Amino acid sequence: MDTSDTSAPLLGEPLPVELMNTIWADRDGVHDALIDAVGTRAWLQAVAPRTELLTPDEVAALPPSALEQLGGRLTDLRDALRRLAAEVTEDARTTAGTGPAELQEAVARLNRAASDTPHWSALSWPPGQEPSQHLRAGGEGAAAAVSALADEAVALFGQDTRHQLRACPGPGCVLYFMKNHPRREWCSAGCGNRARSARHYQRHRRTTV
């Protein structure tokens, strides 16, 4: 698990899932990695290498006012995605409850975010080289990156890939992950180890009571 400079766990999941996981928990409770401009900048810098529309240097140059706006947009999108993820996974974890109560409001938030800033695919084909696809955007790069992330989330929830989405059953965990292997049951090895330790403790306790 790579945490880079952001407090949010980065598990190598698709970016919409990484955004969902900016709500995370430990022994001290539930935390929000996008709680302020510092946290927003750290998370954007950590994921910038995974998007064509934003570089870490561009994130570093963003003024506090722009970061506050982006933080608000990311939080709204994140909470909508967590509501959609809870619907798909039948997530009953009470500590994971964020976002709009109504499913259709979450859908509306996602669609607004996806359409907020124009972005499109463009073909590049230099003479003598292989053609390639690139993402282009109108307006400010950071805002376009948020919209592109929302667009990726639309694809995730609108296709059969949504059935791979899981709510981690680890003790106290509030993260989501994609079940990309038949034997994968936890968001991370650490969560699996904690779950196994908790089961071992409960079994030992029952035999000694």
Side-chain angles (χ1 to χ4, degrees), residues 39-55:
T40 298
R41 190 192 301 276
W43 189 80
L44 283 171
Q45 285 184 315
V47 301
R50 296 171 59 181
T51 170
E52 293 182 61
L53 296 174
L54 194 61
T55 69

Side-chain angles (χ1 to χ4, degrees), residues 169-171 186 189-201 203:
W186 319 98
C191 240
N193 290 337
R194 285 188 291 274
R196 285 186 285 272
S197 296
R199 287 200 300 264
H200 175 77
Y201 172 77
R203 285 196 298 268

